[in-house]
């Protein structure tokens, strides 16, 4: 399918992404190699104008925050925040501070707040036990958010991540769905930290896109025990769909992951979050009902949207590999970038 103008999740109108990257060699043994990434579903007040949302847990070896309420109510009312496993609480705190500052009524004259934070384990390269991510870094990532093409690779939450035993991190892609009356965009952002080199099917994709691997294919030191890894997938669209339909999108993103070769290992947290900003749901409303115009499940456009999710998810994984640079982390460990001619 046709890619969006920037081949990025920010091709979905209104979506913004921001990063903060921490990269500091503290000693011969310890290096900070991590960060925070913020995905904003739209540029307005997310608490006052919520977006329909859903999630799908492909494998639940993860430590996310906020998905219980997303499942129950079908909305997201905060930026979607990504970081490393031990920094979830700090990022939650910073995002809470940001949204409390933006909304004085939260916790006072109105309800509480549900913040969504996802993570992957970057402890092979990052001194994760030092917990160097602070609440201020979450706030800075939100403040840095832009609608420009997403910076990818070893940046933000992706700084210390490994994908298919090469340097991974942040990847993004988009697809356009055309109809007679309206065009829709599907955008995907991935935080990749999973897979064995022997599983990866990038060679076929590279060949189909006129690219080739180099002859050298360095992999990680097989004598060093590494966690199975994880992947966070965020799917955005401007198509007017509800939370049930977004759950169906999330399941199709799992097919996109499968296309890249992953067997979804026992210790891998593979979590997919989907949202639409095709309409918003106001926090305050005097009326007893809301009327929304939604796409029909049985219209051919739904199959096109499914296909867009699959293709963009697959490519977002590969883009994380193709953009990441060779990175040195703790204990002198080096993870090579993907060998591309």
């Amino acid at each position: 399918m046709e890619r969006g103008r920037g081949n990025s999740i920010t091709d979905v109108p209104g979506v913004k992404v921001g990063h903060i990257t921490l990269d500091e060699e503290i000693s011969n043994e310890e290096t900070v190699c991590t960060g925070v990434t913020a995905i904003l579903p739209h540029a307005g007040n997310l608490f006052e104008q919520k977006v329909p949302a859903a999630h799908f847990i492909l494998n639940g070896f993860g430590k996310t925050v906020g998905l219980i309420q997303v499942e129950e109510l079908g909305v997201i009312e905060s930026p979607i925040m990504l970081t490393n496993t031990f920094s979830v609480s700090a990022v939650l705190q910073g995002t809470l501070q940001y949204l409390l500052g933006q909304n004085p009524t939260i916790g006072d004259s109105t309800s509480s707040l549900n913040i969504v934070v996802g993570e992957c384990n970057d402890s092979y390269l990052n001194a994760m036990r030092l917990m160097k991510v602070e609440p201020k870094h979450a706030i800075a990532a939100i403040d840095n958010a832009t609608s420009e093409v997403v910076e990818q690779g070893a940046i933000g939450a992706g700084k210390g991540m490994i994908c298919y035993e090469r340097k991974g991190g942040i990847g993004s892609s988009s697809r356009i769905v055309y109809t007679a009356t309206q065009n829709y965009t599907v955008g995907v952002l991935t935080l990749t930290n999973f897979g064995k080199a022997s599983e990866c099917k990038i060679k076929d994709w590279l060949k189909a896109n006129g690219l080739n691997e180099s002859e050298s294919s360095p992999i990680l030191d097989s004598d060093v025990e590494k966690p199975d890894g994880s992947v966070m997938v965020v799917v955005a669209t401007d198509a007017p769909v509800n939370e049930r339909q977004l759950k169906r999108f999330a399941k199709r993103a799992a097919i996109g992951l499968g296309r890249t070769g992953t067997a979804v290992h026992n210790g891998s947290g593979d979590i997919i979050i989907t949202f639409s900003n095709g309409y918003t749901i106001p926090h305050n409303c005097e009326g007893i009902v809301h009327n929304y115009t939604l796409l029909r499940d049985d219209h051919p456009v739904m199959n096109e949207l499914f296909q867009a999710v699959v293709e963009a998810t697959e490519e977002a994984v590969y883009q994380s590999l193709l953009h990441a640079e060779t990175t040195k982390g703790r204990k002198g460990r080096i993870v090579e970038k993907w060998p591309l001619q």
Side-chain angles (χ1 to χ4, degrees), residues 215-279:
E215 294 181 1
S216 173
S217 296
I219 61 174
L220 300 183
D221 183 353
S222 60
D223 294 332
V224 178
E225 184 177 352
K226 300 170 289 298
D228 282 346
S230 297
V231 60
M232 294 293 306
V233 180
V234 178
V235 179
T237 185
D238 57 354
V241 289
N242 61 22
E243 67 276 14
R244 177 186 56 78
Q245 293 166 316
L246 286 165
K247 172 80 79 170
R248 302 182 77 199
F249 285 13
K251 293 176 180 178
R252 271 63 182 186
I255 296 173
L257 287 175
R259 280 188 175 187
T260 70
T262 178
V264 187
H265 298 167
N266 173 68
S268 183
D270 299 32
I271 297 168
I272 302 156
I273 300 169
T274 55
F275 68 85
S276 168
N277 63 12
Y279 62 95

Side-chain angles (χ1 to χ4, degrees), residues 14-321:
V15 173
K16 302 171 72 176
V17 175
H19 302 293
I20 281 292
T21 305
L22 306 183
D23 187 9
E24 178 187 1
E25 185 175 350
I26 296 176
S27 67
N28 291 332
E29 291 292 304
E30 301 293 1
T31 297
V32 177
C33 185
T34 192
V36 182
T37 294
I39 302 101
L40 280 60
H42 61 72
N45 188 312
L46 290 166
F47 180 76
E48 292 292 339
Q49 296 294 328
K50 310 175 197 304
V51 294
H55 74 273
F56 177 62
I57 299 174
L58 183 59
N59 198 63
F61 205 100
K63 290 81 183 169
T64 56
V65 171
L67 294 187
I68 292 176
Q69 187 167 315
V70 173
E71 179 72 18
E72 184 70 20
L73 300 182
V75 298
I76 283 178
E77 58 187 16
S78 79
I80 300 167
M81 308 297 291
L82 305 177
T83 189
N84 74 68
T85 307
F86 289 173
S87 297
V88 169
S89 58
V91 170
L92 173 66
Q93 181 69 28
T95 309
L96 176 61
Q97 291 173 2
Y98 178 91
L99 291 170
L100 289 178
Q102 190 182 49
N103 300 274
T105 62
I106 295 175
D108 183 15
S109 59
T110 189
S111 65
S112 62
L113 172 66
N114 187 57
I115 295 168
V116 176
V117 185
E119 54 77 33
C120 291
N121 184 341
D122 60 9
S123 60
Y124 182 83
L125 288 174
N126 173 48
M128 201 165 70
R129 288 174 57 90
L130 298 182
M131 294 186 286
K132 287 293 187 177
V133 173
E134 302 176 25
K136 66 180 181 181
H137 297 128
I139 296 171
I142 298 171
D143 285 337
N144 286 346
T146 173
S147 58
E148 299 297 318
V149 175
V150 173
E151 294 182 83
Q152 299 175 70
I155 190 168
K159 177 60 182 177
M161 303 301 174
I162 303 164
C163 185
Y164 289 124
E165 299 187 83
R166 272 71 166 189
K167 190 65 191 74
I170 299 293
S172 195
S173 186
S174 67
R175 294 294 186 273
I176 307 298
V177 173
Y178 294 98
T179 75
T181 58
Q182 179 73 48
N183 300 332
Y184 302 114
T185 303
V186 171
V188 175
L189 183 143
T190 55
L191 176 63
T192 63
N193 192 54
F194 68 98
K196 302 297 183 184
S198 58
E199 298 173 330
C200 189
K201 297 184 180 298
I202 193 174
K203 290 182 180 181
D204 293 339
W205 186 90
L206 289 172
K207 184 177 180 180
N209 286 273
L211 301 168
N212 294 290
E213 285 187 300
S214 66
E215 294 181 1
S216 173
S217 296
I219 61 174
L220 300 183
D221 183 353
S222 60
D223 294 332
V224 178
E225 184 177 352
K226 300 170 289 298
D228 282 346
S230 297
V231 60
M232 294 293 306
V233 180
V234 178
V235 179
T237 185
D238 57 354
V241 289
N242 61 22
E243 67 276 14
R244 177 186 56 78
Q245 293 166 316
L246 286 165
K247 172 80 79 170
R248 302 182 77 199
F249 285 13
K251 293 176 180 178
R252 271 63 182 186
I255 296 173
L257 287 175
R259 280 188 175 187
T260 70
T262 178
V264 187
H265 298 167
N266 173 68
S268 183
D270 299 32
I271 297 168
I272 302 156
I273 300 169
T274 55
F275 68 85
S276 168
N277 63 12
Y279 62 95
T280 59
I281 301 167
H283 180 71
N284 295 304
C285 181
E286 296 180 358
I288 194 171
V289 298
H290 269 134
N291 294 316
Y292 299 107
T293 299
L294 302 175
L295 295 180
R296 288 176 48 177
D297 288 316
D298 59 353
H299 192 281
V301 69
M302 196 62 69
N303 288 333
E304 294 290 306
L305 288 165
F306 289 163
Q307 182 70 18
V309 171
V310 172
E311 289 191 12
T313 302
E314 177 189 23
E315 182 170 343
V317 171
Y318 293 148
Q319 293 293 355
S320 75
L321 290 167

Side-chain angles (χ1 to χ4, degrees), residues 318-332:
Y318 293 148
Q319 293 293 355
S320 75
L321 290 167
L322 299 177
H323 282 82
E325 294 295 329
T326 297
T327 301
K328 181 180 179 181
R330 60 189 293 258
K331 299 184 181 295

